[in-house]
């Protein structure tokens, strides 16, 4: 007796179809990434020209392989140092940021007096600057200040080294602009952490974060929020004198801050006059719509 063949459910069929398409795509990509064999007798100029064609075609993987072949076969040739610089660029464009940093470090170590070593420093900072960008971040709007700041700190240090060592470099102006952005980002991150501490009830830790911004990130937009964080933390800890002094500084320097009213007084869920509850919360004896932890972010939008 021949067994009757069962029909696949539509969902199962779709799943198998998707798996098949994905497999074909992977096979296709793998086929495209195969490295053409470079004959042993291929000349230096030919290898370099081929690598340049890969660069112009944005085929970063093949460009890296070609440039590495060039360097290994002709380590003292006329294109060896240029190949090392272009390997940094190809890694960076291919989103291989750690490899770009390593390649830049290698170039700086081998050629500390090279006329283009400033480019290696710049690309090292740029790679660190971009290393925290993931696939979702490139397509979905995310708050950059909420991410881990390790890469931002590394990038700031690299750009600072470039500006300090090579102030006349053509890359210094862009490095300075990126340093301003990174400094603002690091300061904003501290405010986000302070807001987290408020939600956890860690008022001293929150106040310390605000003070850190005020003391270490002067002339950044986050300073005003840093003062507001300090004032709120002092209020919640019962340090009214410190709170009044901080509010006075905030009102004097940032009168338009959303936590300062027209009379220069502090506006928040918790003020020097105590907890500010809405009428529903009062009428229900605190059962409904309890006050939310204070949060500070005066950025537009």
């Amino acid at each position: 007796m021949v067994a009757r063949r069962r029909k696949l459910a539509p969902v199962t069929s779709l799943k198998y179809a998707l798996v098949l398409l994905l497999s074909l795509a992977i096979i296709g990509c793998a086929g495209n990434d195969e490295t053409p064999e470079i004959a042993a007798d291929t000349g230096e100029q030919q290898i370099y020209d081929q690598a340049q064609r890969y660069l112009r075609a944005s085929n970063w993987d093949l460009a890296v392989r070609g440039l590495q072949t060039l360097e290994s076969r002709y380590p003292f040739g006329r294109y060896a140092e240029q190949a090392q610089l272009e390997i940094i660029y190809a890694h960076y464009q291919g989103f291989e940021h750690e490899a770009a940093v390593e390649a830049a470090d290698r170039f700086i170590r081998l050629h500390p007096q090279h006329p283009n070593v400033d480019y290696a420093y710049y690309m090292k900072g740029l790679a660190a600057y971009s290393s925290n960008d993931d696939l979702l971040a490139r397509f979905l709007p995310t708050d950059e200040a909420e991410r881990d700041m390790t890469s931002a700190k590394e990038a700031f240090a690299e750009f600072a080294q470039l500006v300090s060592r090579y102030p006349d470099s053509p890359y210094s102006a862009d490095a300075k602009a990126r340093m301003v952005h990174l400094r603002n980002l690091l300061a904003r991150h501290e405010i986000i952490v302070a807001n987290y501490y408020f939600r956890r009830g860690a008022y001293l830790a929150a106040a310390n974060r605000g003070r850190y911004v005020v003391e270490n990130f002067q002339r950044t937009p986050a300073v005003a929020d840093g003062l507001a964080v300090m004032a709120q933390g002092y209020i919640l800890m019962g340090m009214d004198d410190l709170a009044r002094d901080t509010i006075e500084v905030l009102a004097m320097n940032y009168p338009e801050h959303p936590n300062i009213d027209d009379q220069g007084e502090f506006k928040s869920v918790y003020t020097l006059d105590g907890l500010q509850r809405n009428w529903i919360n009062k009428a229900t004896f605190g059962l409904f719509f309890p006050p939310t932890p204070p949060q500070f972010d005066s950025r537009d939008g």
Side-chain angles (χ1 to χ4, degrees):
M1 181 177 179
V2 179
R4 182 175 298 175
R5 183 179 299 172
R6 294 185 300 172
K7 292 184 178 180
L8 291 174
V11 175
T12 306
S13 301
L14 179 60
K15 181 175 70 174
Y16 282 118
L18 290 174
V19 170
L20 177 61
L21 289 174
L22 181 59
S23 301
L24 291 174
I26 293 173
I27 293 171
C29 291
N32 290 335
D33 285 342
E34 289 181 359
T35 307
E37 291 296 329
I38 300 177
D41 60 348
T42 304
E44 179 185 12
Q45 184 69 55
Q46 292 174 286
I47 299 176
Y48 181 75
D49 290 343
Q50 181 61 64
Q52 295 305 301
R53 285 193 287 272
Y54 289 141
L55 288 172
R56 288 192 294 270
S58 300
N59 195 331
W60 312 118
D61 184 54
L62 291 185
V64 167
R65 297 184 201 180
L67 291 166
Q68 288 174 338
T69 300
L70 173 65
E71 185 190 359
S72 64
R73 290 191 185 179
Y74 302 95
F76 304 106
R78 58 174 175 165
Y79 294 117
E81 294 176 359
Q82 181 63 27
Q84 291 171 11
L85 287 172
E86 291 178 351
I87 286 172
I88 302 170
Y89 175 76
H91 277 312
Y92 172 76
Q93 291 288 44
F95 298 101
E96 297 175 339
H97 298 126
E98 291 184 7
V101 171
E102 291 174 2
D105 270 333
R106 179 171 179 264
F107 185 89
I108 293 168
R109 185 174 62 256
L110 293 175
H111 313 288
Q113 304 302 322
H114 194 279
N116 293 324
V117 71
D118 58 331
Y119 175 78
Y121 278 104
Y122 174 70
M123 290 302 298
K124 188 178 177 183
L126 206 59
Y129 182 89
S130 306
S131 63
N132 212 27
D133 290 343
D134 55 21
L135 183 63
L136 288 177
R138 292 199 292 271
F139 296 100
L140 297 176
T142 58
D143 189 348
E144 194 177 1
E146 293 182 357
R147 305 178 197 171
D148 178 67
M149 290 291 107
T150 302
S151 297
K153 293 175 182 177
E154 291 176 358
F156 187 91
E158 298 298 342
F159 287 136
Q161 190 169 190
L162 167 64
V163 171
S164 175
R165 287 172 178 261
Y166 308 97
D168 298 325
S169 168
Y171 309 107
S172 288
D174 185 70
K176 289 178 182 177
R178 292 180 186 275
M179 287 173 68
V180 171
H181 171 71
L182 287 168
R183 196 162 178 269
N184 292 341
L185 189 66
L186 291 168
R188 177 54 52 187
H189 179 76
E190 294 296 320
I191 300 300
I192 290 174
V193 173
N195 287 336
Y196 167 78
Y197 282 139
F198 277 130
R199 292 195 296 271
R200 300 284 295 180
Y203 305 136
L204 178 59
N208 285 339
R209 290 284 180 160
R211 187 174 70 249
Y212 183 80
V213 170
V214 173
E215 293 177 350
N216 296 278
F217 294 100
Q218 287 293 322
R219 297 187 299 279
T220 65
V223 168
D225 283 338
L227 288 166
V229 164
M230 291 172 62
Q232 185 69 95
Y234 293 147
I235 289 171
L236 288 166
M237 290 186 291
M239 301 177 178
D240 291 354
D241 289 340
L242 286 175
R244 289 190 182 91
D245 291 342
T246 306
I247 292 168
E248 183 178 352
V249 173
L250 177 60
M252 182 181 300
N253 292 278
Y254 304 96
E256 301 301 322
H257 192 272
N259 290 98
I260 295 296
D261 63 19
D262 295 336
Q263 287 73 43
E265 299 297 330
F266 190 69
K267 296 189 301 182
S268 181
V269 179
Y270 299 90
T271 69
L272 287 169
D273 295 326
L275 175 62
Q276 307 301 307
R277 300 190 297 169
N278 59 54
W279 69 269
I280 299 179
N281 184 257
K282 292 178 181 178
T284 59
F285 301 100
L287 294 177
F288 297 100
F289 298 100
T292 58
Q295 299 289 285
F296 300 92
D297 190 344
S298 61
R299 291 176 292 181
D300 292 337

